[in-house]
Amino acid sequence: LSQLNVMKGTSEPAAYALIALKENHFEPEGDERIFYGVFDFGGGTTDFDFGIYREAIGKKERRYDYVIEHFGANGDKFLGGENLLELLAFEIFKKNKNALLAKSIQFEKHPEKDHFAGSEILLSHSQEAKTNTKQLCIALRPFWEEHEDFSFDASGELTITLTDIHGVQHSAFSLDIDADELKAILASRIERGVENFFNALRLAFSNSQQSLHDINKVNIFLAGNSSQSSIVQALFDKYIAIENAAIGLAQGESHFVRLYFWCVYPIYTIYGVFFVVI
């Protein structure tokens, strides 16, 4: 313990911004200011971060090469890859509630969903309910991750092993599914997160007294494995177009650049370049 040092750091999305900007060869010079936003879409939550990347100036910053002026952060605590899988599982179980009731099979309630008719019997925090939810999430993962070699059976059924309240396993239990419905559920929930991101972006820039009308470009980094989803990227293109129209830009012009960059979060020194977050 005598050799343990604890240093004050920064948020994960701000740390991500440091290396993403550097790896994308952003090197501000003089008075140049590079505006950025991070949409960190991970497994459990989604974090937002906004700031300015510029060259260090003045005596107080002479120890550093570059400076991140961090002026906003927000997030969506229920938007994450694992949470989306649990949301899909909940909706599928709910759709198949009569078959589950007949076999005394329970599942977990999703934190964003309401109780429904029959839920007092079907929803539980028991080990069996947790196992059933987990099993369905595992079966749905290739669908969410858009594996090229994955597709649901043409019969419209998904077969998995579920456990009833007595601990008895029911192998090859069939659940009715609709791939289009599942895609719509994903798109609807992710869209809420993307809309929240742009609301937070406008608020952050307003609080920092930065007018989006006066900024040439804002670089939006899509971070986290979940941002690889085609749904996420399509929704960002949609909302970027909405924001451009609201600003009054002509078609084909944009204030925003959408970038995806995967990395392991850094510390403060990257390839001999020193940063400070203020």
Side-chain angles (χ1 to χ4, degrees):
L1 288 178
S2 63
Q3 298 178 20
L4 177 66
N5 293 318
V6 179
M7 298 177 64
K8 182 180 180 181
T10 188
S11 67
E12 284 187 354
Y16 166 91
L18 298 181
I19 195 169
L21 289 161
K22 183 63 180 175
E23 286 297 306
N24 279 272
H25 308 293
F26 288 100
E27 296 183 358
E29 297 181 356
D31 296 332
E32 181 184 6
R33 298 187 302 167
I34 297 173
F35 295 87
Y36 76 86
V38 175
F39 183 81
D40 187 4
F41 188 8
T45 62
T46 297
D47 299 315
F48 312 151
D49 198 84
F50 309 100
I52 299 170
Y53 180 54
R54 61 171 174 79
E55 188 177 46
I57 55 175
K59 292 183 179 180
K60 291 184 178 180
E61 300 171 1
R62 62 187 177 186
R63 296 173 53 197
Y64 306 98
D65 298 306
Y66 299 104
V67 172
I68 288 281
E69 290 186 20
H70 176 262
F71 59 69
N74 210 307
D76 189 329
K77 68 177 182 179
F78 289 122
L79 181 60
E82 299 305 314
N83 286 331
L84 286 175
L85 284 172
E86 292 172 5
L87 175 62
L88 293 181
F90 177 88
E91 294 292 359
I92 291 173
F93 280 139
K94 180 180 176 180
K95 182 177 180 179
N96 290 267
K97 64 179 182 178
N98 292 333
L100 297 176
L101 281 169
K103 296 295 184 180
S104 300
I105 295 174
Q106 297 180 325
F107 58 99
E108 287 187 293
K109 179 184 176 298
H110 190 273
E112 290 189 296
K113 305 304 292 187
D114 296 326
H115 289 274
F116 55 90
S119 63
E120 64 277 3
I121 300 174
L122 287 170
L123 299 180
S124 172
H125 296 295
S126 68
Q127 187 60 49
E128 290 80 12
K130 293 178 180 179
T131 299
N132 291 334
T133 299
K134 182 179 180 180
Q135 287 295 104
L136 185 49
C137 287
I138 291 172
L140 292 169
R141 187 176 299 279
F143 171 76
W144 158 236
E145 294 181 351
E146 300 177 324
H147 293 188
E148 292 184 1
D149 58 349
F150 175 81
S151 62
F152 288 117
D153 192 281
S155 65
E157 293 184 344
L158 178 64
T159 301
I160 63 172
T161 298
L162 298 176
T163 306
D164 65 27
I165 60 175
H166 306 293
V168 177
Q169 290 189 337
H170 298 259
S171 59
F173 192 96
S174 295
L175 296 167
D176 290 333
I177 59 164
D178 185 319
D180 290 336
E181 286 183 2
L182 298 184
K183 288 179 181 178
I185 292 168
L186 289 174
S188 176
R189 183 60 187 89
I190 294 172
E191 184 163 10
R192 281 170 50 195
V194 175
E195 185 177 14
N196 288 340
F197 172 83
F198 280 96
N199 289 338
L201 181 149
R202 288 192 298 271
L203 180 62
F205 275 75
S206 174
N207 290 341
S208 66
Q209 298 182 338
Q210 307 287 339
S211 173
L212 288 172
H213 292 77
D214 300 329
I215 296 170
N216 291 328
K217 181 169 64 175
V218 178
N219 299 282
I220 298 177
F221 289 100
L222 305 184
N225 286 333
S226 296
S227 285
Q228 297 181 67
S229 167
S230 60
I231 297 173
V232 175
Q233 297 178 30
L235 284 170
F236 263 91
D237 289 342
K238 171 185 174 180
Y239 276 84
I240 284 174
I242 292 172
E243 291 298 320
N244 286 331
I247 292 172
L249 296 182
Q251 189 173 3
E253 297 181 343
S254 181
H255 261 355
F256 304 91
V257 177
R258 173 174 64 82
L259 301 164
Y260 177 77
F261 179 73
W262 186 89
C263 72
V264 177
Y265 293 121
I267 312 296
Y268 287 101
T269 308
I270 305 171
Y271 306 132
V273 179
F274 290 83
F275 300 82
V276 63
V277 179
I278 61 173

